[in-house]
Amino acid sequence: MNITIFGSGYVGLVTAACFADAGNDVLCVDVDAAKVERLRRGECPIYEPGLETLLVDNAWAGRLRFTTSAAEGVAHGLYQFIAVGTPPNEDGSADMQYVLAVARSIGQHMNGYRVVVSKSTVPVGTADKVREAIAIELHGRNASVEFDVVSNPEFLKEGAAVADFNKPDRIIVGVSSDKAAEHMAALYAPFNRNHDRIIVMDVRSSELTKYAANAMLATKISFMNEMANLAEVVGADIEKVRLGIGSDPRIGFDFIYPGCGYGGSCFPKDVKALAHTAHSAGFDARLLKGVEAVNLQQKNRLFRKMQRHFGSVENRTVALWGLAFKPKTDDMREAPSRDLMEAVWAAGGCIRAYDPVAMDETRKIYGERDDLYLASSPEDAVMGADALAIVTEWRVFHSPNFERLASLLRNRVIFDGRNLYDPALVERAGIAYYAIGRGRT
């Protein structure tokens, strides 16, 4: 099948590579000429396990190509995927300018039936706006061309996106015609062989499903962080509580790990956008507001613990393990590490940081500065620091030599934002240990 994908960001590239790997002829369109040239050279602009190999292999096989020409893209694909960014506006709403710009381009160039598929995370009602934008362009050309607009939200976890696409737990398809539903079933047939994972619904329900899923997961995280903060006050151990409630199959263990807050490109943006959608509809989404408020507070929790321990962070050096918002990605959007670093800097302190893959991204964001040292290893980061803070639970951080850490730290203290360690084991090495919801405040 011929597939066009507008946008070569995280969602667009994973979607393009996986469709091409299933034997489809995929053309990826992007306005960034420099990025297109990089992709043509086989360079993957993001870190995602397995993605670069797929891009290179399928480009070499001729199934995956890249262009800056919208006209070429519209002419190529029966399926026109919109996978461009929807960054947040200042009021929390999703910025739809890029989605609607693609819709207008499709309307300007299409001369035959197309299935226009919204893959971007968009507010309820966006498909209607896409349909209207295409129709206006067709009317301006005095052209009568049939098309369908479909909502097909992505549910890709960063760090496991290729596996999620190839073996989805569900494929949500929002349609307004049987014809569109049949085309989408044919497109996803190679990913749907074991059992039927396609859930067909109306377009607005599909659009809301994506936001509701991310908001639900964010809610579980914020709830657990609220319980962790309560555990500190009443003298309980949140890790024991987690085991106690997670064993209930109605709750489960996923997304109930307390920590220093969630980040990334999805949860923070989508919770705000859903709350804005609710407000625009005259509905007061109090729970969503609480989820966001708890998370913002949680991102400052490690720094507050440092302040209480030291009295002042001025002239202190903090070793930071983990910069990406989660393991197996270099994405630092809304990452808790950024909140912590910026708080330390504002208080007059310095950072020595290490992350297995996000060092280049850190340089892009912060550049060269005297109060930031990007270390070559976890041990290098700790050397001569006053404290160690763990912000991302990369596997390489799970089993350190605590006696060695005690000898490298000027002040023997660890602030663990991911509850990786047994407090008794750390303290036997003579290191003060502050975690989330485990006694010390």
Side-chain angles (χ1 to χ4, degrees):
M1 297 181 184
N2 288 352
I3 303 169
T4 296
I5 296 176
F6 284 89
S8 60
Y10 183 83
V11 174
L13 283 180
V14 172
T15 302
C18 291
F19 273 141
D21 203 52
N24 297 291
D25 187 353
V26 181
L27 180 62
C28 212
V29 183
D30 200 285
V31 297
D32 188 337
K35 181 186 284 188
V36 168
E37 283 304 314
R38 286 186 63 191
L39 288 164
R40 285 172 173 170
R41 292 195 300 266
E43 299 175 16
C44 186
I46 59 174
Y47 178 84
E48 178 62 34
L51 178 58
E52 186 167 19
T53 299
L54 284 183
L55 291 174
V56 172
D57 289 352
N58 285 284
W60 181 85
R63 291 188 297 266
L64 178 58
R65 295 175 292 120
F66 302 92
T67 184
T68 58
S69 172
E72 183 184 357
V74 177
H76 172 77
L78 167 64
Y79 301 90
Q80 300 280 310
F81 276 82
I82 302 177
V84 294
T86 54
N89 290 312
E90 289 186 6
D91 62 359
S93 63
D95 185 348
M96 301 303 300
Q97 63 172 310
Y98 307 112
V99 169
L100 296 179
V102 172
R104 287 190 291 270
S105 293
I106 294 171
Q108 289 163 7
H109 298 292
M110 74 177 188
N111 293 310
Y113 175 75
R114 295 291 183 268
V115 182
V116 181
V117 185
S118 176
K119 202 70 174 171
S120 302
T121 301
V122 294
V124 177
T126 296
D128 294 336
K129 295 179 180 179
V130 168
R131 184 179 291 105
E132 181 183 15
I134 295 173
I136 288 172
E137 295 298 330
L138 290 173
H139 180 75
R141 294 167 48 204
N142 198 27
S144 178
V145 181
E146 183 187 3
F147 67 95
D148 275 299
V149 178
V150 174
S151 170
N152 176 219
E154 54 85 14
F155 297 95
L156 306 176
K157 299 186 296 291
E158 292 195 41
V162 172
D164 285 347
F165 194 99
N166 286 328
K167 295 183 178 180
D169 45 24
R170 79 281 208 198
I171 302 167
I172 303 297
V173 175
V175 297
S176 54
S177 76
D178 291 340
K179 183 176 182 179
E182 290 169 4
H183 277 299
M184 295 302 290
L187 177 64
Y188 277 107
F191 308 92
N192 198 36
R193 289 172 60 83
N194 182 266
H195 64 275
D196 191 3
R197 298 178 175 89
I198 294 180
I199 303 173
V200 179
M201 59 184 72
D202 63 278
V203 173
R204 287 185 170 236
S205 295
S206 173
E207 291 170 334
L208 182 57
T209 296
K210 168 62 177 180
Y211 274 125
N214 280 351
M216 182 63 176
L217 298 176
T219 299
K220 292 183 73 174
I221 295 170
S222 280
F223 173 81
M224 207 60 190
N225 284 334
E226 190 95 303
M227 290 299 100
N229 298 340
L230 176 60
E232 289 184 0
V233 174
V234 300
D237 185 341
I238 193 63
E239 288 301 312
K240 292 182 172 61
V241 175
R242 180 180 65 82
L243 294 174
I245 67 173
S247 59
D248 185 332
R250 296 171 301 174
I251 298 172
F253 288 102
D254 292 338
F255 288 87
I256 62 167
Y257 288 85
C260 52
Y262 60 75
S265 63
C266 295
F267 289 5
K269 175 175 70 73
D270 292 353
V271 170
K272 291 175 186 175
L274 186 55
H276 184 272
T277 295
H279 178 75
S280 298
F283 180 76
D284 184 15
R286 289 175 290 176
L287 179 58
L288 293 176
K289 294 175 184 176
V291 169
E292 183 185 359
V294 168
N295 191 58
L296 290 175
Q297 183 183 55
Q298 201 69 15
K299 285 184 173 184
N300 289 317
R301 196 144 187 91
L302 285 188
F303 180 70
R304 292 197 299 271
K305 289 175 181 286
M306 289 180 189
Q307 285 182 308
R308 284 194 293 269
H309 179 85
F310 287 118
S312 171
V313 183
E314 186 175 9
N315 297 322
R316 299 284 185 180
T317 297
V318 177
L320 189 63
W321 281 1
L323 293 163
F325 86 94
K326 62 179 284 187
K328 298 183 180 179
T329 181
D330 62 352
D331 194 343
M332 290 181 63
R333 286 174 288 185
E334 302 274 355
S337 63
R338 298 177 65 170
D339 293 79
L340 179 56
M341 287 193 293
E342 289 164 15
V344 169
W345 290 331
C350 297
I351 296 290
R352 296 175 64 89
Y354 175 77
D355 187 284
V357 302
M359 305 292 266
D360 287 342
E361 186 66 18
T362 307
R363 291 187 185 94
K364 290 178 187 175
I365 295 169
Y366 294 111
E368 298 295 329
R369 48 188 300 162
D370 294 338
D371 50 10
L372 173 61
Y373 171 73
L374 295 178
S376 60
S377 67
E379 186 172 292
D380 183 31
V382 173
M383 202 169 296
D386 292 290
L388 168 62
I390 295 97
V391 183
T392 313
E393 62 276 29
W394 285 96
R395 184 169 293 276
V396 70
F397 303 146
H398 280 233
S399 300
N401 183 323
F402 292 112
E403 286 74 19
R404 176 65 174 160
L405 287 180
S407 70
L408 294 174
L409 288 165
R410 280 206 300 252
N411 289 275
R412 297 180 175 184
V413 57
I414 292 176
F415 299 92
D416 184 357
R418 298 301 174 190
N419 287 2
L420 296 185
Y421 310 132
D422 178 351
L425 182 64
V426 179
E427 291 175 352
R428 276 202 298 271
I431 302 173
Y433 182 64
Y434 295 85
I436 304 295
R438 308 202 71 182
R440 286 180 184 264
T441 59

